[in-house]
Amino acid sequence: MTTKTPKRLCQLSLSGSLLRSLPQSLLYLFILFFSTYGYAQKVVNSQLIDVRLEVKLDNYLAVASESEAQAKVLLEDIIAQVTAETPLITRVRALGYRASELAYEEKFTQAYALLDRLKQASEQAQVIDAQAEVLASRIDFMVMEGKRGDAFLRVPRLERLLEKTQTARIRYYGHNLLSSIYVDWERFEPALQHLLQAQQALGEMNSSLNEGRRLYLLSRIANIQLSLEQWDAAILTVEETVPEAIDKGYQGLAYDLWFSKYYAEISLGQLEQALRSLNRAYQMAQELEASYQEVIILNNFGDTYLRLEQFDEAREHLLEALDKAEALGFDGMLSTINFNLGFIAVKQGDSLGIKQMEEAVANFRETLSNSQLEMALGELAEAYALVNDHAAEAQILRERINLKERILTQSQREKMSELQAVYKSRDDAQQIELLQKQNELKEQIIKNSEQQRIVWILFTAFAAVCLVLVFLLYRKSKRANQQLNRANEQLADQSLKDPLTGLWNRRALQERMLERARSDERSQDGLLLLDIDRFKQINDRHGHAGGDKVLTELSKRLQNICRDSDILVRWGGEEFLFYVKGIKQSSLLQLAERILRTVAEHPIKINGELISITTSIGFIELPFADLSEHQVDWERALQIADMALYTCKARGRNRACGVTELLVDYDTARIALEHDLNQAMNNNWITLTVIEGPQQ
């Protein structure tokens, strides 16, 4: 079971599907059941398949949906009938299923060895369809093994093979796989494009399960809408799909749809509707005897009732979840449930609940990823605030800020590395393709020249017409290239913008800073890092839609302050960053004060309620304290501003803080500047300027 998220929202990102609670081998067979069963469509390479064995392989997948043990016996019987004379596509399919079973038993060395033999046979026979299926299986195994970077490197080649693949079954499987990979990479536009191509392949397949495949594609679209935070669209997709899934008997798919609807509704703050959807998901889990999933849902019930401040209901469901988890040995959920029970105790005034939450967090530090731990620390800080232990709250907030920065830095490096590798692979492929086209063009030119010579001798007028046609084709080609260049420019601009606010994103700032580093002339600039105060409370009370409204409204206000030469960036979550060119220290202080006033002067109306908004700001000059930027580059300076921002939070929020003077050499104060400004101030190493925000 992979559901180990400590967030009270209860395993949504990792356990929002019943499929993910099943054993891995059953999960894979379920996917194959929807992607390959009923291989009865017409195949152009008919001499490369064995119809009799194809029917048996279809039957294997049907049996696998009912009994894993029987399916294994059936597959062994099929493989015993496969010989070197078996048509290649059928042989690749049968042995590919065997490799899949090995991979899901974590016998990856044997699985890859089997794929290597199939790859060699496919390339020797020059059968594109077989090559595509072998490569898709290899990518699938790499993702399972956690080798995401190696898997991404092979994506461009699979895309090129699928363009030439004739077998609809293989195209359906390949495009579904690529869609999942692009979703994992948070590139949702190509993910949707591959789903559409899978749908086109589905239209060429003739099977009684096509209806189930269509519903499966709709559920994938709903999941992408959730990833894009298109909550209303996701709810509409689910409402249109789930009745048909239930009617057709796809209970597992129906469960996944109900859980997706619950996730969207709770994100919108529609708690009563979310409870109804969660109840339907719970009924499905009981019908499917999915005991582990029942534990997760009971925990989610507890979370939702906690949000409604119905503490008795919340505790009742969490205690039931605790009993079931202990009986199942579901250790991954025990700490999460105890964490939530402790939070209820704190909410009801029992400070002993803090101890229960601390013990759970101690376990989380050993078992969870940084991103999951960061969410748990946020709730622990909230609990410390409720019991007025502000020293502990400040310590946890500091840890959370540092952890969040590490998460963002690590994620950025991983994404950039993967992006560079994929683009390098694409560029190499495009160079090869370009050379091939150039050779083809040269050969065509030679042929055309000979033809034109003959035509010129015989029919001069006809040659003139040919030249006109060539000119028209050239102009059409040039126009198409211009349109392609414009489209590429638009895509490049979109990659530098935040989709919610329309502001520049991190990548845009990094490119600007690279330009600044290359420039011989550098001005005195400034960095101001903003964080909206108590933004999590706004999200909890008004849902993500309310939080999004606050972000977009503040973006408009901040843009009115921003000069043409400045850059305003959505830095992440509720954080914004000003990069201000050519500004003196006195003007930087005035700008910080103006931002505080602009953010706070007008409340924002959410769901009929006026919400007062304030912000905390950490600011710094660049270069810092007249130091060389080789010694303190913009990223180190921003880290100091981040610590100043943390100091604002610790001093009560709604203010701006900045290190405006360094009183000792940098090496003496470096560690304190990056990790503990209080130490630097106590040692009289720095001057910290504080600007109070307007009174609320």
Side-chain angles (χ1 to χ4, degrees):
M1 185 66 187
T2 60
T3 55
K4 298 179 180 178
T5 307
K7 179 75 173 166
R8 280 193 300 112
L9 196 52
C10 317
Q11 326 299 330
L12 288 174
S13 62
L14 295 177
S15 66
S17 167
L18 174 64
L19 301 181
R20 300 180 193 137
S21 72
L22 296 174
Q24 286 185 324
S25 55
L26 284 180
L27 166 60
Y28 181 71
L29 292 173
F30 183 93
I31 294 173
L32 287 179
F33 183 70
F34 275 110
S35 63
T36 62
Y37 178 69
Y39 180 61
Q41 72 276 8
K42 179 180 178 181
V43 180
V44 176
N45 296 326
S46 57
Q47 71 274 18
L48 298 177
I49 68 166
D50 183 322
V51 176
R52 180 181 60 84
L53 286 180
E54 291 287 339
V55 172
K56 288 189 175 184
L57 287 167
D58 290 345
N59 185 44
Y60 156 72
L61 294 174
V63 171
S65 67
E66 302 293 336
S67 170
E68 182 180 2
Q70 292 181 17
K72 284 188 175 183
V73 173
L74 182 57
L75 182 59
E76 291 300 327
D77 177 66
I78 295 172
I79 291 176
Q81 301 175 51
V82 174
T83 67
E85 285 70 36
T86 301
L88 184 59
I89 291 180
T90 299
R91 188 172 6 132
V92 166
R93 183 184 180 191
L95 295 177
Y97 290 172
R98 175 58 184 146
S100 299
E101 288 189 347
L102 291 170
Y104 276 91
E105 293 169 2
E106 297 187 355
K107 299 177 181 178
F108 290 105
T109 301
Q110 299 177 43
Y112 289 133
L114 182 51
L115 287 184
D116 287 340
R117 295 200 297 272
L118 295 175
K119 177 187 177 189
Q120 184 179 11
S122 302
E123 291 178 347
Q124 286 178 348
Q126 297 183 342
V127 178
I128 296 296
D129 295 48
Q131 293 176 31
E133 183 159 14
V134 171
L135 181 57
S137 297
R138 185 178 296 274
I139 292 173
D140 204 355
F141 299 170
M142 287 178 170
V143 173
M144 276 189 273
E145 199 178 2
K147 297 180 177 179
R148 294 169 63 247
D150 292 338
F152 287 144
L153 286 177
R154 288 163 173 79
V155 164
R157 173 162 171 75
L158 179 57
E159 289 177 324
R160 293 193 300 274
L161 289 174
L162 289 175
E163 290 176 358
K164 303 174 183 178
T165 299
Q166 299 175 354
T167 308
R169 171 185 65 82
I170 298 172
R171 282 190 283 117
Y172 181 84
Y173 168 54
H175 287 302
N176 265 308
L177 174 65
L178 290 173
S179 176
S180 299
I181 290 174
Y182 277 117
V183 167
D184 182 50
W185 207 9
E186 297 181 357
R187 296 184 61 190
F188 300 108
E189 182 178 351
L192 286 171
Q193 290 175 351
H194 281 293
L195 281 184
L196 290 175
Q197 289 174 294
Q199 188 179 42
Q200 292 173 356
L202 177 61
E204 301 172 24
M205 301 167 67
N206 179 23
S207 169
S208 60
L209 286 180
N210 277 6
E211 191 64 36
R213 296 191 189 100
R214 184 180 64 82
L215 294 173
Y216 170 71
L217 290 176
L218 289 173
S219 74
R220 292 286 308 282
I221 291 173
N223 288 333
I224 291 177
Q225 290 168 333
L226 291 178
S227 299
L228 291 170
E229 298 186 358
Q230 297 175 353
W231 313 119
D232 292 325
I235 290 172
L236 181 61
T237 300
V238 170
E239 289 176 343
E240 291 176 348
T241 308
V242 73
E244 193 172 356
I246 295 173
D247 182 59
K248 301 294 184 181
Y250 300 112
Q251 302 298 93
L253 191 60
Y255 169 87
D256 187 49
L257 290 165
W258 280 120
F259 210 106
S260 297
K261 187 169 183 283
Y262 158 74
Y263 186 16
E265 289 166 340
I266 206 165
S267 298
L268 289 170
Q270 300 172 358
L271 302 183
E272 297 293 344
Q273 296 94 317
L275 281 174
R276 287 194 290 270
S277 297
L278 191 59
N279 188 55
R280 295 300 298 272
Y282 188 59
Q283 293 173 8
M284 293 292 177
Q286 288 178 315
E287 291 177 13
L288 292 163
E289 299 181 354
S291 302
Y292 288 88
Q293 207 69 13
E294 290 179 26
V295 174
I296 294 169
I297 295 175
L298 288 168
N299 190 51
N300 286 359
F301 271 124
D303 166 74
T304 308
Y305 282 118
L306 179 57
R307 291 172 179 270
L308 290 167
E309 298 188 351
Q310 297 179 18
F311 300 122
D312 291 339
E313 289 283 349
R315 183 181 291 104
E316 179 183 345
H317 284 84
L318 289 171
L319 289 174
E320 184 179 354
L322 188 64
D323 290 341
K324 285 181 176 288
E326 289 175 343
L328 291 168
F330 193 0
D331 296 336
M333 280 297 297
L334 291 176
S335 296
T336 302
I337 297 168
N338 283 318
F339 183 87
N340 293 339
L341 286 168
F343 204 8
I344 291 174
V346 172
K347 289 269 190 179
Q348 291 185 307
D350 184 358
S351 60
L352 294 178
I354 286 288
K355 182 67 174 177
Q356 195 171 0
M357 296 178 73
E358 289 173 340
E359 290 175 353
V361 169
N363 180 267
F364 294 159
R365 295 183 197 278
E366 301 295 328
T367 59
L368 298 184
S369 66
N370 286 340
S371 60
Q372 295 166 338
L373 177 60
E374 185 269 331
M375 291 187 289
L377 292 178
E379 295 196 347
L380 181 58
E382 183 180 347
Y384 280 131
L386 290 172
V387 299
N388 295 320
D389 189 348
H390 298 297
E393 178 191 7
Q395 181 180 353
I396 290 297
L397 282 174
R398 179 189 302 175
E399 180 182 357
R400 187 188 182 199
I401 290 171
N402 292 335
L403 186 60
K404 185 191 298 185
E405 186 63 30
R406 288 204 304 272
I407 293 169
L408 290 172
T409 301
Q410 181 181 0
S411 175
Q412 179 185 357
R413 288 174 179 172
E414 289 177 354
K415 295 291 184 186
M416 185 60 66
S417 176
E418 292 165 358
L419 186 63
Q420 289 173 346
V422 170
Y423 277 128
K424 178 64 168 60
S425 176
R426 289 184 186 274
D427 184 61
D428 291 344
Q430 289 173 351
Q431 291 293 334
I432 293 172
E433 185 176 356
L434 181 60
L435 289 173
Q436 291 174 342
K437 288 184 177 180
Q438 287 176 342
N439 289 334
E440 293 173 358
L441 182 59
K442 289 177 181 179
E443 293 175 0
Q444 188 63 41
I445 290 173
I446 293 172
K447 292 179 181 179
N448 289 344
S449 297
E450 180 65 21
Q451 292 172 355
Q452 287 172 359
R453 187 183 66 84
I454 297 172
V455 171
W456 180 260
I457 294 173
L458 299 176
F459 303 103
T460 302
F462 181 74
V465 172
C466 289
L467 288 173
V468 171
L469 290 176
V470 170
F471 172 76
L472 292 175
L473 289 173
Y474 168 77
R475 189 168 63 176
K476 182 178 180 180
S477 175
K478 184 177 180 181
R479 189 183 301 116
N481 286 333
Q482 290 172 343
Q483 292 173 346
L484 179 60
N485 290 335
R486 286 195 295 269
N488 287 334
E489 291 173 357
Q490 292 173 353
L491 287 174
D493 185 65
Q494 291 173 1
S495 71
L496 299 176
K497 291 293 185 71
D498 173 59
L500 175 64
T501 62
L503 301 179
W504 298 107
N505 59 21
R506 281 174 173 254
R507 181 180 173 187
L509 180 67
Q510 289 167 343
E511 292 188 1
R512 177 61 66 89
M513 288 304 183
L514 284 175
E515 294 175 3
R516 184 178 187 275
R518 297 189 191 106
S519 174
D520 294 331
E521 298 181 3
R522 299 180 189 174
S523 59
Q524 183 69 33
D525 302 336
L527 296 171
L528 299 97
L529 183 63
L530 291 67
D531 186 281
I532 301 173
D533 294 333
R534 298 183 176 87
F535 184 77
K536 182 180 181 301
Q537 296 179 11
I538 297 172
N539 262 344
D540 287 347
R541 183 165 182 174
H542 299 283
H544 285 283
D548 288 350
K549 184 173 182 180
V550 170
L551 292 173
T552 53
E553 174 60 28
L554 290 188
S555 298
K556 294 176 184 177
R557 296 183 187 181
L558 295 174
Q559 282 178 303
N560 291 332
I561 300 175
C562 194
R563 303 175 304 179
D564 292 340
S565 60
D566 302 336
I567 292 183
L568 177 57
V569 177
R570 185 182 178 194
W571 195 242
E574 65 269 27
E575 290 183 339
F576 299 85
L577 177 64
F578 267 92
Y579 167 56
V580 188
K581 286 182 63 65
I583 189 167
K584 297 180 180 178
Q585 186 180 98
S586 59
S587 300
L588 187 63
L589 299 179
Q590 293 173 3
L591 177 59
E593 183 178 8
R594 184 180 178 190
I595 293 172
L596 290 170
R597 290 200 312 270
T598 300
V599 170
E601 64 183 352
H602 297 300
I604 297 176
K605 192 172 185 179
I606 304 175
N607 299 328
E609 180 180 350
L610 288 175
I611 306 297
S612 295
I613 306 296
T614 62
T615 187
S616 299
I617 304 173
F619 61 88
I620 194 169
E621 293 180 276
L622 186 69
F624 169 63
D626 295 326
L627 295 171
S628 166
E629 292 193 35
H630 293 291
Q631 188 174 13
V632 182
D633 60 14
W634 73 271
E635 291 176 301
R636 284 185 178 272
L638 183 59
Q639 187 174 356
I640 298 172
D642 192 32
M643 291 306 302
L645 172 61
Y646 161 73
T647 302
C648 292
K649 296 289 186 181
R651 294 191 176 195
R653 304 178 176 87
N654 188 24
R655 65 198 64 207
C657 295
V659 179
T660 53
E661 189 176 9
L662 181 63
L663 304 177
V664 295
D665 64 276
Y666 174 71
D667 289 335
T668 300
R670 180 178 61 82
I671 295 177
L673 284 171
E674 295 177 355
H675 300 287
D676 191 353
L677 287 185
N678 286 328
Q679 178 188 353
M681 288 186 289
N682 292 337
N683 291 334
N684 198 29
W685 290 344
I686 62 171
T687 298
L688 183 73
T689 300
V690 181
I691 304 170
E692 299 290 338
Q695 294 296 321
Q696 295 296 301

Coordinates of all heavy atoms in Angstrom, one line a residue, residues 63 138 210 329 360 376 394 417 426 436 446 466 509 525 546 555 589 595 622:
V63 N -9.5 -13.3 -17.7 CA -9.4 -14.1 -16.5 C -8.6 -13.3 -15.4 O -8.9 -13.4 -14.2 CB -8.7 -15.4 -16.8 CG1 -8.3 -16.2 -15.5 CG2 -9.6 -16.3 -17.7
R138 N 9.2 -1.1 -21.7 CA 10.4 -0.7 -21.0 C 10.2 0.6 -20.2 O 10.6 0.7 -19.1 CB 11.6 -0.5 -22.0 CG 12.9 -0.2 -21.3 CD 14.0 -0.1 -22.4 NE 14.2 -1.4 -23.1 CZ 15.0 -2.4 -22.7 NH1 15.7 -2.2 -21.5 NH2 15.1 -3.5 -23.4
N210 N -15.1 -1.8 -25.4 CA -14.8 -0.5 -25.8 C -15.5 0.6 -24.9 O -15.0 1.6 -24.7 CB -15.2 -0.3 -27.3 CG -14.1 -0.8 -28.2 OD1 -13.1 -1.4 -27.7 ND2 -14.3 -0.6 -29.5
G329 N -3.0 -4.4 10.0 CA -1.5 -4.2 10.1 C -1.2 -3.0 9.1 O -0.1 -3.0 8.6
A360 N 3.3 11.5 16.3 CA 3.0 11.1 14.9 C 4.0 11.8 13.9 O 4.5 11.2 13.0 CB 1.6 11.5 14.5
A376 N 2.3 18.3 7.1 CA 2.0 18.0 8.5 C 2.6 19.0 9.4 O 1.9 19.4 10.4 CB 2.7 16.6 8.8
A394 N 7.0 29.0 16.3 CA 8.0 29.7 15.5 C 9.1 28.7 15.1 O 9.5 28.7 13.9 CB 8.7 30.8 16.4
S417 N 16.8 19.1 -15.0 CA 17.6 18.1 -15.6 C 16.9 17.2 -16.5 O 17.3 16.8 -17.6 CB 18.2 17.2 -14.4 OG 18.9 16.1 -14.9
R426 N 15.3 15.0 -28.1 CA 14.5 15.5 -29.2 C 15.3 16.2 -30.2 O 15.1 16.0 -31.4 CB 13.4 16.5 -28.7 CG 12.3 15.8 -27.9 CD 11.2 16.9 -27.5 NE 10.3 16.3 -26.6 CZ 9.2 15.7 -26.9 NH1 9.0 15.5 -28.2 NH2 8.3 15.2 -26.1
Q436 N 18.1 13.4 -43.0 CA 17.4 12.5 -43.9 C 16.5 13.2 -44.9 O 16.5 12.9 -46.1 CB 16.5 11.5 -43.1 CG 17.2 10.5 -42.2 CD 16.3 9.7 -41.4 OE1 15.2 10.1 -41.1 NE2 16.8 8.6 -40.9
I446 N 17.8 16.4 -57.9 CA 18.5 15.7 -59.1 C 17.5 15.2 -60.1 O 17.6 15.4 -61.3 CB 19.4 14.6 -58.6 CG1 20.6 15.2 -57.8 CG2 20.0 13.8 -59.8 CD1 21.5 14.2 -57.1
C466 N 5.6 24.8 -64.4 CA 6.2 24.0 -63.3 C 6.9 25.0 -62.4 O 6.8 24.8 -61.1 CB 7.2 23.0 -63.8 SG 6.4 21.6 -64.7
L509 N 12.3 34.5 -14.0 CA 13.2 35.3 -13.2 C 14.6 34.7 -13.4 O 15.6 35.4 -13.5 CB 12.9 35.2 -11.7 CG 13.8 36.0 -10.8 CD1 13.8 37.4 -11.0 CD2 13.5 35.6 -9.3
D525 N 20.1 47.0 -7.5 CA 18.8 46.5 -7.6 C 18.3 46.1 -6.2 O 19.0 46.1 -5.2 CB 18.7 45.3 -8.6 CG 19.2 45.6 -10.0 OD1 19.2 46.8 -10.3 OD2 19.7 44.7 -10.7
G546 N -11.7 30.3 -3.1 CA -11.5 31.6 -2.3 C -10.0 32.0 -2.3 O -9.7 33.2 -2.5
S555 N -2.5 40.0 -7.1 CA -1.7 40.1 -8.3 C -2.0 41.4 -9.1 O -1.1 42.1 -9.5 CB -1.9 38.9 -9.2 OG -1.5 37.7 -8.6
L589 N 12.9 51.0 0.7 CA 12.1 51.1 2.0 C 10.7 51.6 1.7 O 9.7 51.2 2.2 CB 12.8 51.9 3.0 CG 14.2 51.4 3.5 CD1 14.8 52.3 4.5 CD2 14.1 50.0 4.0
I595 N 3.8 48.7 -0.6 CA 3.2 47.3 -0.9 C 2.4 46.9 0.3 O 1.3 46.4 0.2 CB 4.3 46.3 -1.1 CG1 5.0 46.6 -2.4 CG2 3.8 44.9 -1.1 CD1 6.3 45.7 -2.7
L622 N 20.6 44.3 -3.9 CA 21.5 43.4 -4.8 C 22.3 44.3 -5.7 O 21.8 45.1 -6.5 CB 20.6 42.5 -5.6 CG 21.3 41.4 -6.4 CD1 21.9 40.4 -5.5 CD2 20.4 40.7 -7.4

